Amino acid sequence: MLLLISLTGHAQSVIDSLSLQLESSTERSEKIDLLQDLAWEYTHSNIDSSKLYAERALILAESVSDQDEMANSRAIMAIIHDIEGDIEAAAGLFLEVARYYEDQKNLIELSTTYNNLGIMFFEDEDFDQAYRYLSKSLELEKVVGDSLGIAASLVNLASIEHKRGAFTEASTKLKIAKSLVIDEDEMHWIRLAVYNEIGAHLTYLDQYDSSLQYLRQVLPLYLKAEDLLGALTAMVGIVEAETALGQYQDAISNLKRGEALLKRYPDLTQKKKLMGAAAMLYAKTDRYDKAFEYQRNFQMVSDSLLTLGRIKSVNALEKKFQSELKESEIARLEVAQQTSANQRNILLAIAIVLVTAAIFLYVLLSQRSRSNALIKRSLSEKELLLKEIHHRVKNNLQVISSLLRLQSRYIEDKAAQNAVHESQNRVKSMALIHENLYQEDNLIGVQAAAYINNLTEVLKSSFGVDEDKVKVESNIASLVIDIDTIIPLGLILNELITNAFKHAFPGEVVGIVRLELKEIDEKLELVVADTGVGKSLQKDPSNSFGMMMIESLAAKLEAIVDYQFDAGTRVALSINNYKLV
């Protein structure tokens, strides 16, 4: 179990608590800390929200020239890039942060940065680079005399030793780590991680009784701390150990507990491990129908992880995806023939499961059922491909947005700079759509409320909107909108919200921006209104392109546009050409 600073998987209650604190906070330094904490918590559940809070933290830190908080926010952004698969961007930010801490002679934060670099390379399966940076982190922890930091670094290095098959070296490192944390509070997260890794290590050595002692000790403590990711890793190890010891009823009971945890914290890596453990459990109890079901789930999660795997370029992703898709199909057809001596009981059990399941299906299922199975498999593959297409489009749009941001740094003309900035926001509005599509089960429609709220937050951060001065009120119906409708609708919203943030509240003017979207009498009604100075979009030359875009997109949607400038600005669209999913 690798330790990325103190990032763990907490329940939604932690996020809700932090959000409430943020709403009531008035101190800038406290707000920065809360924004960073929210960015941490969202890294496992909603990467867009994580990025949004990290960007807001960085903007706020820059506004007060707090160099330490700027470095911390950039480190969080690096981790987000790492999760998204952009290793180059993540490494660049981490090294930038490392140089800052070197200049400041801040050995503790420098050690943390090296630790995160090591974990990034570990997850990218570059174990040599990972070992190098984690070793540098360990040496710095020794210099500052941080015993808990030393223990954390040793746990991470032991994880690499396990990957290399160097179990003796791993055992030595874990023995030292245990001696450093044994007197710590039993709830301390590093102590829990050390004991959890020892449990996993003993499983590697087939010492299942000893492994269970450690894992059963840490599981209730993880649950008490609401560290659901830690609890899941321990639960997977417990199911594997109990299965190996023939404690099948206990294993089945803990499997159900693990599945309940996955509903609260859907981590794909741990789900894959739990599905694999479940397949082995039911194969050993001769329940081949259940074993086949879990093996199929294991394969589906494996495919999902493959499509979310780290990539270095779009072309490399395409080649990798096509190759892995073909290999996955071959594996499903030929898995019964792929057993070998070094795979021992696991693949042998899978082969038995597949052969038995094939006979079972042949006897009980009709030709129509077999045809339906083939159709379902084909649809599943097409769905996987469609998700990957949306993911790739989103990544391409993010590259375009980044290029626009870089270009704007070298433009001195203010009007041109503003035009590039607005174009960047238009690209982001489309990227958000494809982000939502590949993350949802529905691949042709977008949840309007979630999308509009995310778009609003992105624009607030982009324009540095003071939330104490400008409030946003949303009344968005629960609608799932077809992609051909949501793209022009999102661009229109981007222009109207941008206009409100830029022009409605100059100086010290305060007010409200209201957003409404609902279906009335077979028409989609969109309203964007503000209580600002009432500046007309039509009379603003700087917004002429935006106006042309709104009119053009409105025509595509067969929408009637109504402008009012009496008390602020109110723009209403009555849309006739739309599709809900």
PDB file of all heavy atoms in Angstrom, residues 236-260:
ATOM      1  N   VAL A 236      -9.434  -7.031   1.211  1.00  0.00           N
ATOM      2  CA  VAL A 236      -9.008  -7.908   0.118  1.00  0.00           C
ATOM      3  C   VAL A 236      -8.013  -8.941   0.633  1.00  0.00           C
ATOM      4  O   VAL A 236      -8.108 -10.141   0.335  1.00  0.00           O
ATOM      5  CB  VAL A 236      -8.394  -7.088  -1.034  1.00  0.00           C
ATOM      6  CG1 VAL A 236      -7.716  -8.004  -2.044  1.00  0.00           C
ATOM      7  CG2 VAL A 236      -9.461  -6.254  -1.727  1.00  0.00           C
ATOM      8  N   GLY A 237      -7.039  -8.497   1.414  1.00  0.00           N
ATOM      9  CA  GLY A 237      -6.042  -9.411   1.974  1.00  0.00           C
ATOM     10  C   GLY A 237      -6.664 -10.456   2.886  1.00  0.00           C
ATOM     11  O   GLY A 237      -6.262 -11.627   2.874  1.00  0.00           O
ATOM     12  N   ILE A 238      -7.664 -10.042   3.661  1.00  0.00           N
ATOM     13  CA  ILE A 238      -8.335 -10.975   4.580  1.00  0.00           C
ATOM     14  C   ILE A 238      -9.064 -12.065   3.791  1.00  0.00           C
ATOM     15  O   ILE A 238      -8.979 -13.257   4.117  1.00  0.00           O
ATOM     16  CB  ILE A 238      -9.317 -10.212   5.497  1.00  0.00           C
ATOM     17  CG1 ILE A 238      -8.527  -9.382   6.523  1.00  0.00           C
ATOM     18  CG2 ILE A 238     -10.268 -11.158   6.203  1.00  0.00           C
ATOM     19  CD1 ILE A 238      -9.378  -8.440   7.343  1.00  0.00           C
ATOM     20  N   VAL A 239      -9.802 -11.675   2.742  1.00  0.00           N
ATOM     21  CA  VAL A 239     -10.532 -12.658   1.930  1.00  0.00           C
ATOM     22  C   VAL A 239      -9.556 -13.651   1.290  1.00  0.00           C
ATOM     23  O   VAL A 239      -9.801 -14.862   1.267  1.00  0.00           O
ATOM     24  CB  VAL A 239     -11.373 -11.950   0.844  1.00  0.00           C
ATOM     25  CG1 VAL A 239     -11.992 -12.969  -0.117  1.00  0.00           C
ATOM     26  CG2 VAL A 239     -12.482 -11.114   1.482  1.00  0.00           C
ATOM     27  N   GLU A 240      -8.436 -13.153   0.777  1.00  0.00           N
ATOM     28  CA  GLU A 240      -7.439 -14.035   0.150  1.00  0.00           C
ATOM     29  C   GLU A 240      -6.852 -15.012   1.174  1.00  0.00           C
ATOM     30  O   GLU A 240      -6.701 -16.208   0.888  1.00  0.00           O
ATOM     31  CB  GLU A 240      -6.325 -13.190  -0.471  1.00  0.00           C
ATOM     32  CG  GLU A 240      -6.756 -12.401  -1.698  1.00  0.00           C
ATOM     33  CD  GLU A 240      -5.663 -11.483  -2.224  1.00  0.00           C
ATOM     34  OE1 GLU A 240      -4.733 -11.178  -1.444  1.00  0.00           O
ATOM     35  OE2 GLU A 240      -5.754 -11.059  -3.382  1.00  0.00           O
ATOM     36  N   ALA A 241      -6.520 -14.506   2.356  1.00  0.00           N
ATOM     37  CA  ALA A 241      -5.905 -15.357   3.374  1.00  0.00           C
ATOM     38  C   ALA A 241      -6.891 -16.400   3.894  1.00  0.00           C
ATOM     39  O   ALA A 241      -6.549 -17.578   4.056  1.00  0.00           O
ATOM     40  CB  ALA A 241      -5.373 -14.497   4.521  1.00  0.00           C
ATOM     41  N   GLU A 242      -8.135 -15.995   4.159  1.00  0.00           N
ATOM     42  CA  GLU A 242      -9.146 -16.937   4.657  1.00  0.00           C
ATOM     43  C   GLU A 242      -9.453 -18.010   3.608  1.00  0.00           C
ATOM     44  O   GLU A 242      -9.680 -19.177   3.954  1.00  0.00           O
ATOM     45  CB  GLU A 242     -10.419 -16.177   5.041  1.00  0.00           C
ATOM     46  CG  GLU A 242     -10.250 -15.357   6.322  1.00  0.00           C
ATOM     47  CD  GLU A 242     -11.451 -14.477   6.632  1.00  0.00           C
ATOM     48  OE1 GLU A 242     -12.243 -14.199   5.701  1.00  0.00           O
ATOM     49  OE2 GLU A 242     -11.584 -14.049   7.797  1.00  0.00           O
ATOM     50  N   THR A 243      -9.455 -17.630   2.340  1.00  0.00           N
ATOM     51  CA  THR A 243      -9.668 -18.610   1.267  1.00  0.00           C
ATOM     52  C   THR A 243      -8.527 -19.623   1.250  1.00  0.00           C
ATOM     53  O   THR A 243      -8.745 -20.839   1.141  1.00  0.00           O
ATOM     54  CB  THR A 243      -9.767 -17.907  -0.099  1.00  0.00           C
ATOM     55  OG1 THR A 243     -10.871 -16.997  -0.080  1.00  0.00           O
ATOM     56  CG2 THR A 243      -9.967 -18.909  -1.222  1.00  0.00           C
ATOM     57  N   ALA A 244      -7.293 -19.141   1.362  1.00  0.00           N
ATOM     58  CA  ALA A 244      -6.129 -20.030   1.342  1.00  0.00           C
ATOM     59  C   ALA A 244      -6.133 -20.994   2.533  1.00  0.00           C
ATOM     60  O   ALA A 244      -5.682 -22.139   2.422  1.00  0.00           O
ATOM     61  CB  ALA A 244      -4.850 -19.203   1.345  1.00  0.00           C
ATOM     62  N   LEU A 245      -6.679 -20.549   3.679  1.00  0.00           N
ATOM     63  CA  LEU A 245      -6.721 -21.377   4.882  1.00  0.00           C
ATOM     64  C   LEU A 245      -7.962 -22.272   4.936  1.00  0.00           C
ATOM     65  O   LEU A 245      -8.137 -23.029   5.888  1.00  0.00           O
ATOM     66  CB  LEU A 245      -6.684 -20.490   6.126  1.00  0.00           C
ATOM     67  CG  LEU A 245      -5.363 -19.747   6.381  1.00  0.00           C
ATOM     68  CD1 LEU A 245      -5.529 -18.722   7.488  1.00  0.00           C
ATOM     69  CD2 LEU A 245      -4.253 -20.734   6.733  1.00  0.00           C
ATOM     70  N   GLY A 246      -8.844 -22.170   3.937  1.00  0.00           N
ATOM     71  CA  GLY A 246     -10.060 -22.983   3.918  1.00  0.00           C
ATOM     72  C   GLY A 246     -11.157 -22.455   4.811  1.00  0.00           C
ATOM     73  O   GLY A 246     -12.137 -23.160   5.089  1.00  0.00           O
ATOM     74  N   GLN A 247     -11.038 -21.211   5.260  1.00  0.00           N
ATOM     75  CA  GLN A 247     -12.078 -20.594   6.103  1.00  0.00           C
ATOM     76  C   GLN A 247     -13.113 -19.930   5.192  1.00  0.00           C
ATOM     77  O   GLN A 247     -13.275 -18.719   5.147  1.00  0.00           O
ATOM     78  CB  GLN A 247     -11.434 -19.575   7.046  1.00  0.00           C
ATOM     79  CG  GLN A 247     -10.398 -20.182   7.976  1.00  0.00           C
ATOM     80  CD  GLN A 247      -9.643 -19.130   8.793  1.00  0.00           C
ATOM     81  OE1 GLN A 247     -10.000 -17.953   8.814  1.00  0.00           O
ATOM     82  NE2 GLN A 247      -8.588 -19.564   9.476  1.00  0.00           N
ATOM     83  N   TYR A 248     -13.845 -20.769   4.460  1.00  0.00           N
ATOM     84  CA  TYR A 248     -14.667 -20.269   3.366  1.00  0.00           C
ATOM     85  C   TYR A 248     -15.858 -19.432   3.834  1.00  0.00           C
ATOM     86  O   TYR A 248     -16.195 -18.415   3.194  1.00  0.00           O
ATOM     87  CB  TYR A 248     -15.153 -21.444   2.513  1.00  0.00           C
ATOM     88  CG  TYR A 248     -14.026 -22.241   1.898  1.00  0.00           C
ATOM     89  CD1 TYR A 248     -13.987 -23.623   1.989  1.00  0.00           C
ATOM     90  CD2 TYR A 248     -12.979 -21.598   1.246  1.00  0.00           C
ATOM     91  CE1 TYR A 248     -12.948 -24.362   1.432  1.00  0.00           C
ATOM     92  CE2 TYR A 248     -11.922 -22.320   0.693  1.00  0.00           C
ATOM     93  CZ  TYR A 248     -11.911 -23.696   0.793  1.00  0.00           C
ATOM     94  OH  TYR A 248     -10.887 -24.404   0.245  1.00  0.00           O
ATOM     95  N   GLN A 249     -16.515 -19.828   4.895  1.00  0.00           N
ATOM     96  CA  GLN A 249     -17.672 -19.044   5.361  1.00  0.00           C
ATOM     97  C   GLN A 249     -17.243 -17.652   5.814  1.00  0.00           C
ATOM     98  O   GLN A 249     -17.914 -16.650   5.528  1.00  0.00           O
ATOM     99  CB  GLN A 249     -18.382 -19.783   6.504  1.00  0.00           C
ATOM    100  CG  GLN A 249     -19.131 -21.027   6.052  1.00  0.00           C
ATOM    101  CD  GLN A 249     -20.151 -20.720   4.963  1.00  0.00           C
ATOM    102  OE1 GLN A 249     -20.886 -19.734   5.034  1.00  0.00           O
ATOM    103  NE2 GLN A 249     -20.180 -21.558   3.934  1.00  0.00           N
ATOM    104  N   ASP A 250     -16.122 -17.590   6.536  1.00  0.00           N
ATOM    105  CA  ASP A 250     -15.594 -16.275   6.939  1.00  0.00           C
ATOM    106  C   ASP A 250     -15.224 -15.446   5.710  1.00  0.00           C
ATOM    107  O   ASP A 250     -15.471 -14.232   5.661  1.00  0.00           O
ATOM    108  CB  ASP A 250     -14.359 -16.463   7.829  1.00  0.00           C
ATOM    109  CG  ASP A 250     -14.706 -17.001   9.205  1.00  0.00           C
ATOM    110  OD1 ASP A 250     -15.880 -16.897   9.606  1.00  0.00           O
ATOM    111  OD2 ASP A 250     -13.793 -17.533   9.871  1.00  0.00           O
ATOM    112  N   ALA A 251     -14.631 -16.110   4.730  1.00  0.00           N
ATOM    113  CA  ALA A 251     -14.231 -15.398   3.513  1.00  0.00           C
ATOM    114  C   ALA A 251     -15.439 -14.847   2.767  1.00  0.00           C
ATOM    115  O   ALA A 251     -15.426 -13.714   2.274  1.00  0.00           O
ATOM    116  CB  ALA A 251     -13.421 -16.319   2.600  1.00  0.00           C
ATOM    117  N   ILE A 252     -16.511 -15.656   2.673  1.00  0.00           N
ATOM    118  CA  ILE A 252     -17.737 -15.192   1.997  1.00  0.00           C
ATOM    119  C   ILE A 252     -18.346 -14.008   2.744  1.00  0.00           C
ATOM    120  O   ILE A 252     -18.791 -13.027   2.139  1.00  0.00           O
ATOM    121  CB  ILE A 252     -18.749 -16.349   1.869  1.00  0.00           C
ATOM    122  CG1 ILE A 252     -18.232 -17.379   0.849  1.00  0.00           C
ATOM    123  CG2 ILE A 252     -20.121 -15.829   1.447  1.00  0.00           C
ATOM    124  CD1 ILE A 252     -19.046 -18.659   0.800  1.00  0.00           C
ATOM    125  N   SER A 253     -18.361 -14.090   4.066  1.00  0.00           N
ATOM    126  CA  SER A 253     -18.901 -12.990   4.881  1.00  0.00           C
ATOM    127  C   SER A 253     -18.104 -11.709   4.663  1.00  0.00           C
ATOM    128  O   SER A 253     -18.668 -10.616   4.480  1.00  0.00           O
ATOM    129  CB  SER A 253     -18.875 -13.384   6.357  1.00  0.00           C
ATOM    130  OG  SER A 253     -19.293 -12.300   7.172  1.00  0.00           O
ATOM    131  N   ASN A 254     -16.781 -11.817   4.647  1.00  0.00           N
ATOM    132  CA  ASN A 254     -15.939 -10.632   4.448  1.00  0.00           C
ATOM    133  C   ASN A 254     -15.990 -10.136   3.006  1.00  0.00           C
ATOM    134  O   ASN A 254     -15.819  -8.941   2.756  1.00  0.00           O
ATOM    135  CB  ASN A 254     -14.501 -10.936   4.862  1.00  0.00           C
ATOM    136  CG  ASN A 254     -14.331 -10.912   6.373  1.00  0.00           C
ATOM    137  OD1 ASN A 254     -14.826 -10.014   7.041  1.00  0.00           O
ATOM    138  ND2 ASN A 254     -13.654 -11.916   6.915  1.00  0.00           N
ATOM    139  N   LEU A 255     -16.230 -11.050   2.075  1.00  0.00           N
ATOM    140  CA  LEU A 255     -16.416 -10.630   0.683  1.00  0.00           C
ATOM    141  C   LEU A 255     -17.629  -9.702   0.566  1.00  0.00           C
ATOM    142  O   LEU A 255     -17.569  -8.665  -0.111  1.00  0.00           O
ATOM    143  CB  LEU A 255     -16.598 -11.853  -0.214  1.00  0.00           C
ATOM    144  CG  LEU A 255     -17.031 -11.582  -1.667  1.00  0.00           C
ATOM    145  CD1 LEU A 255     -15.973 -10.758  -2.394  1.00  0.00           C
ATOM    146  CD2 LEU A 255     -17.294 -12.891  -2.392  1.00  0.00           C
ATOM    147  N   LYS A 256     -18.716 -10.073   1.229  1.00  0.00           N
ATOM    148  CA  LYS A 256     -19.919  -9.224   1.205  1.00  0.00           C
ATOM    149  C   LYS A 256     -19.648  -7.872   1.849  1.00  0.00           C
ATOM    150  O   LYS A 256     -20.131  -6.830   1.375  1.00  0.00           O
ATOM    151  CB  LYS A 256     -21.070  -9.935   1.915  1.00  0.00           C
ATOM    152  CG  LYS A 256     -21.567 -11.166   1.160  1.00  0.00           C
ATOM    153  CD  LYS A 256     -22.672 -11.889   1.929  1.00  0.00           C
ATOM    154  CE  LYS A 256     -23.149 -13.127   1.167  1.00  0.00           C
ATOM    155  NZ  LYS A 256     -24.187 -13.864   1.923  1.00  0.00           N
ATOM    156  N   ARG A 257     -18.872  -7.862   2.926  1.00  0.00           N
ATOM    157  CA  ARG A 257     -18.508  -6.591   3.566  1.00  0.00           C
ATOM    158  C   ARG A 257     -17.662  -5.736   2.618  1.00  0.00           C
ATOM    159  O   ARG A 257     -17.830  -4.519   2.530  1.00  0.00           O
ATOM    160  CB  ARG A 257     -17.736  -6.847   4.857  1.00  0.00           C
ATOM    161  CG  ARG A 257     -18.553  -7.489   5.968  1.00  0.00           C
ATOM    162  CD  ARG A 257     -17.673  -7.819   7.165  1.00  0.00           C
ATOM    163  NE  ARG A 257     -17.190  -6.614   7.815  1.00  0.00           N
ATOM    164  CZ  ARG A 257     -16.187  -6.576   8.683  1.00  0.00           C
ATOM    165  NH1 ARG A 257     -15.554  -7.709   8.998  1.00  0.00           N
ATOM    166  NH2 ARG A 257     -15.795  -5.454   9.235  1.00  0.00           N
ATOM    167  N   GLY A 258     -16.760  -6.406   1.894  1.00  0.00           N
ATOM    168  CA  GLY A 258     -15.930  -5.693   0.926  1.00  0.00           C
ATOM    169  C   GLY A 258     -16.761  -5.090  -0.194  1.00  0.00           C
ATOM    170  O   GLY A 258     -16.518  -3.958  -0.628  1.00  0.00           O
ATOM    171  N   GLU A 259     -17.763  -5.836  -0.682  1.00  0.00           N
ATOM    172  CA  GLU A 259     -18.631  -5.314  -1.747  1.00  0.00           C
ATOM    173  C   GLU A 259     -19.438  -4.117  -1.249  1.00  0.00           C
ATOM    174  O   GLU A 259     -19.680  -3.167  -2.002  1.00  0.00           O
ATOM    175  CB  GLU A 259     -19.555  -6.417  -2.248  1.00  0.00           C
ATOM    176  CG  GLU A 259     -18.817  -7.481  -3.059  1.00  0.00           C
ATOM    177  CD  GLU A 259     -19.712  -8.627  -3.489  1.00  0.00           C
ATOM    178  OE1 GLU A 259     -20.517  -9.100  -2.656  1.00  0.00           O
ATOM    179  OE2 GLU A 259     -19.613  -9.046  -4.655  1.00  0.00           O
ATOM    180  N   ALA A 260     -19.855  -4.156   0.012  1.00  0.00           N
ATOM    181  CA  ALA A 260     -20.566  -3.012   0.593  1.00  0.00           C
ATOM    182  C   ALA A 260     -19.654  -1.783   0.667  1.00  0.00           C
ATOM    183  O   ALA A 260     -20.084  -0.655   0.407  1.00  0.00           O
ATOM    184  CB  ALA A 260     -21.091  -3.373   1.982  1.00  0.00           C
TER     185      ALA A 260
END
